Amino acid sequence: MPDFLLAYQSLFAFIGINGLLALSVYCTLCCGQLSLANAGFMAIGAYAGAILTQNFHAPFGLAILAGTILPAVFAVPLGLPVLRLRGVFLAIATIGFGEVVRLAFVNWDYTNGALGLVAIPQKTGLWTIWLALAFALYVLGRIRGSRPGYALEAIREDEPAARTMGIATTRYKVSMFALGAALAGLAGVLEAHLTFMVAPNGYGFSRAVDMLVYAVVGGTTAFYGPVIGAAFLTLLPELLRGGGQALGLAPGPLRLFLNGAILLAVILFVPNGLASLPAAMQIFRPRRPPRSAALR
Amino acid sequence: MQQAINGIFLGSIYALFAVGYTLVFGVLDILNLAHQAVFMLCAFAALTLVGQWGMHIALALPLAAALGGILGLVLERIAFRPLRGRSDSNISGLISSLAAATIFEAIALQLFGPDVSRFPFGSFPDRPLHLGHATVSALQLTIVAISVALMAILTALLRATPLGRRIRAVAENPRAARILGVDVDRIIAWSFFISSALGGAAGVLFGLAFNSVSPDVGRSIELKGLAVIILGGMGSVTGAVIAGFAIGILEVFTVARIGSSYRDAVSFAVLFLILLVRPRGLLGQAATREA
């Protein structure tokens, strides 16, 4: 068993990081907001952490802390005006934010512009990543059954009604936006110290879409759904590598195609994600009233 | 003067691209993020027709645009129609269009590879023309003429034909349109066809203008297109045309005055500013805040 773990160490590490990213998207999705800004937050976290350990020789713990908190600090002033916007407009504004962050790093000489930072000390171990993931799951799991958790659900189902009931919708939405930013930043720091490098092009639009795909495929009605989606989609290309080669398809396009096809299939046929499949399979149980779809 | 001409040239492509975006949004209230993938695939299609089959560009352009229209129909059928009537169709439609875009991109990557492809030399007879102190190439002039003509045709179609009237009726209120005997599904399919054909034509013109096509060519124009429809007002075709030229001109002047690294920053600055100050854009009417 240890041999097995060793051989697939990087795969397990990326499952953990992608799980964190998926959870960061879940934070906004679970109150009905579609945000594509998390790749930008991830970049802020990754750069902040990398600069601290590389240029200032700060301890890794401090880098993690800074990389987690800084994106959240950026998220609050961005979220306050932007979260007032209706679904589609929020998506557009956050796409724009992600690009602005990427362009800022491309044009910033201190971080080597488009080349990015290299030779970052490797400090992330497998256990750090999984500890972080467990912590994030614990926090989100605790929120789930609590009073704020019910408030978030109410906001997702019907925001005006929730506000009428006296729920401070803006405060909840901005808090979750900031929490998502923090998780994305955390994943950014961990990844930067795992792969030794950060470059602006690693945090573009397609990265934001990848995270969204993990979360939606896994399902957002349960807090652990996004992690399942991330694990599934990270493992899948490895499992299918042999088959793709046999068909003469390059791995890059094949992975992209599968991501798209799976996302489409899930959104059409399993709108509550893979995590809802076990419950959906139990057809012999007495039917409960159908839950409304997870996204709005 | 020279800058203004370049700006109009760039703006005409942005406008043509964004008009397709805004048409679908106006009718369905859904942002079609696969629009840029259609744009990219049509550019590749024209490139293949001209480069490998030796077709004249004047024939390849309408063929590629027609292909774009067909892609639009496919898109509507697989990614949008099944979601219609679901309570969350606003966001799930956006996600399914992202999925379709990913699939299209994967296909382009597999067929054409990740590198930049170019039109063969001399596929468009080009010569510089002099207008006062400024220089315009015949290619630029043709591109502006074609896109302006296409946008004029679209406007006329929406204003004066039975199809256009039905599209506007569905955009206004799908249920009322259905009660009055409009085949709503069919009208939506038509709007996708028109929108994607225009997006495809924009792709071919873009490919000709900059003579480089790669599978990620749609990415940057997608963001410009978003800025254009936000500035123009979501769902407003006239607004998108005006905003397209405005952003094109603004971008060219920024590059000339401040520097090319801030080229893309312009559209985002515009985008944020409009979203904060006037989310419905210049000519938009829809309420953009929920309740």
Side-chain angles (χ1 to χ4, degrees), chain A residues 267-292:
Chain A
I267 199 94
L268 293 185
F269 304 115
V270 205
N272 288 338
L274 294 181
S276 73
L277 271 183
M281 296 287 194
Q282 296 172 333
I283 34 179
F284 297 110
R285 286 252 182 111
R287 278 285 174 91
R288 275 180 297 173
R291 298 185 69 161
S292 59

Side-chain angles (χ1 to χ4, degrees), chain A residues 34 81 84 86 88-89 93 95 97 99-100 103 107 160 205 249-250 253 256-257 260 263 267-268 271 293 295-296, chain B residues 29 31 78 86 88 90-91 94 99 102-103 106 110 219 222-223 234 261 264 268 272 275-276 279 287-289 291:
Chain A
L34 178 68
R84 290 182 317 173
R86 196 160 58 109
V88 174
F89 292 82
I95 292 176
F97 171 76
E99 272 317 283
V100 166
L103 286 172
N107 287 318
F205 183 61
L249 295 169
L256 210 59
F257 182 84
L263 179 63
I267 199 94
L268 293 185
L295 309 163
R296 180 174 291 272
Chain B
D29 222 24
L31 194 62
I78 61 164
R86 216 189 264 179
D88 60 345
N90 214 329
I91 281 188
L94 201 142
T102 316
I103 294 175
Q110 176 68 31
R219 287 271 180 248
E222 167 169 55
L223 296 158
M234 299 290 276
S261 52
D264 293 329
F268 301 125
F272 274 124
L275 281 177
L276 294 186
T288 50
R289 287 195 211 163

Side-chain angles (χ1 to χ4, degrees), chain A residues 38-66:
Chain A
N38 284 3
F41 291 132
M42 185 187 180
I44 295 175
Y47 270 98
I51 290 171
L52 275 179
T53 47
Q54 202 176 19
N55 296 5
F56 297 97
H57 305 288
F60 189 42
L62 185 67
I64 290 185
L65 208 62

Side-chain angles (χ1 to χ4, degrees), chain A residues 1-19 125-126 129-130 133 194 231 234-235 238:
Chain A
M1 202 58 189
D3 289 343
F4 173 76
L5 250 179
L6 212 60
Y8 289 98
Q9 198 172 17
S10 74
L11 190 60
F12 282 112
F14 280 110
I15 290 178
I17 285 174
N18 289 339
L126 199 54
I129 298 174
W130 283 83
L133 183 64
L194 181 75
T234 314
L235 282 173
E238 304 298 322

